[in-house]
């Protein structure tokens, strides 16, 4: 296994621009999660997919955020009209059918200037 | 909300055992105790998990009290690379309910000193 892969690792964008992050989960993991983490805080849950179905969204996921997992494999997290408050690390994680151990990627850092 | 309580920080000398406590007094019978750690600027790394018996793997040992209201993560010979934030999380691993996901608190910042 190559682990959970996230791209890009770092992104600097101007306020108002759109950004997209990609996550490739561990092969054959059908459950995928997105988290957000700001400095000094633990990761906060954003959304969860089982295969291609988005089954839960946190209230942290405003209308400017959209996540997809079109074929039940990789996932994308798009932030439209970025704001400075969106600056954070966005983490992707995956697990298998048994809801067993959840494995995280290295995260994608977003800085909105 | 996180269901666990951890000290915000701890220090440990390099080469000594690091014992990280966690209180989970409201844990349910089917909830497991999971430990993750996060080294600065990296994603959380799974360490170990257990239900009621003590567990050991290549990274650490997990000691869960008989009443399951608290646990201790033990790093037997801490190194400088073990400096990280350690998170204790309770979760039902095989559930489609609200406990399926990990809910993080602020964890314990363990600093291993030379």
């Amino acid at each position: 296994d190559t682990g959970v892969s996230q791209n890009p690792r770092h992104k600097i964008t101007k306020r108002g621009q759109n950004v997209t992050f990609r996550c490739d989960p561990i092969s054959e993991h059908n459950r995928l999660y997105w988290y957000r983490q700001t400095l000094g805080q633990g990761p906060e849950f954003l959304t969860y997919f089982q295969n291609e179905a988005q089954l839960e969204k946190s209230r942290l996921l405003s209308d400017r955020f959209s996540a997809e997992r079109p074929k039940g494999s990789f996932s994308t997290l798009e932030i439209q009209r970025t704001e400075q408050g969106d600056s954070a690390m966005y983490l992707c994680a995956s697990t298998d059918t048994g809801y067993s151990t959840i494995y995280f990627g290295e995260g994608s850092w977003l800085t909105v200037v | 909300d996180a269901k666990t309580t951890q000290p915000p920080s701890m220090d440990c000398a390099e080469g000594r055992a690091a014992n990280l406590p966690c209180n989970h007094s409201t844990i349910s019978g089917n909830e497991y105790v999971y430990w993750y750690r996060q080294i600065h600027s990296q994603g959380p790394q799974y360490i170990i998990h257990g239900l009621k018996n003590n567990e050991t793997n290549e990274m650490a040992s997990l000691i869960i009290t008989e009443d399951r209201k608290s646990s201790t993560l033990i790093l037997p010979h801490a190194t400088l690379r073990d400096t990280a934030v350690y998170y204790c999380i309770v979760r039902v691993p095989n559930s489609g309910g609200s406990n399926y996901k990990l809910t993080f608190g602020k964890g314990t910042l363990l600093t291993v000193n030379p």
Side-chain angles (χ1 to χ4, degrees), chain A residues 9 33 35 37 39-45 48 56 89 91 95 97-107 109, chain B residues 34 36 38 40-46 49 87 91-98 100-107:
Chain A
R9 292 293 317 281
Y33 309 79
Y35 282 78
Q37 186 173 23
L39 288 176
Q41 303 297 318
E44 297 173 292
F45 171 78
Y48 158 66
E56 184 175 345
M89 180 166 64
L91 291 158
T95 189
T97 304
Y99 289 99
S100 58
T101 302
I102 297 176
Y103 295 96
F104 285 81
E106 290 302 318
W109 282 96
Chain B
Y34 282 76
Y36 282 76
Q38 191 170 26
H40 183 61
S41 298
Q42 297 183 19
Q45 177 189 23
Y46 166 77
H49 73 280
Y87 296 100
R91 171 181 176 250
V92 181
N94 297 313
S95 168
S98 61
Y100 66 88
K101 59 183 179 288
L102 295 168
T103 301
F104 290 83
K106 292 191 175 182

Side-chain angles (χ1 to χ4, degrees), chain A residues 62-109:
Chain A
S62 75
D63 291 344
R64 297 183 297 104
F65 287 70
S66 62
E68 295 182 343
R69 196 180 182 198
K71 296 183 179 180
S73 56
F74 73 92
S75 175
T76 58
L77 177 68
E78 181 183 18
I79 308 173
Q80 296 182 326
R81 306 181 303 281
T82 52
E83 301 173 354
Q84 286 189 321
D86 297 331
S87 295
M89 180 166 64
Y90 291 86
L91 291 158
C92 178
S94 70
T95 189
D96 60 17
T97 304
Y99 289 99
S100 58
T101 302
I102 297 176
Y103 295 96
F104 285 81
E106 290 302 318
S108 292
W109 282 96

Side-chain angles (χ1 to χ4, degrees), chain B residues 73-99:
Chain B
L73 179 74
I74 301 172
L75 307 179
H77 305 287
T79 70
L80 298 179
R81 286 180 291 183
D82 291 322
T83 293
V85 177
Y86 287 77
Y87 296 100
C88 169
I89 302 165
V90 296
R91 171 181 176 250
V92 181
N94 297 313
S95 168
S98 61
N99 276 336

Side-chain angles (χ1 to χ4, degrees), chain B residues 61-75:
Chain B
S61 294
L62 173 60
I63 308 298
I64 302 174
T65 58
E66 190 170 347
D67 63 8
R68 302 209 324 121
K69 292 185 177 181
S70 65
S71 61
T72 302
L73 179 74
I74 301 172
L75 307 179

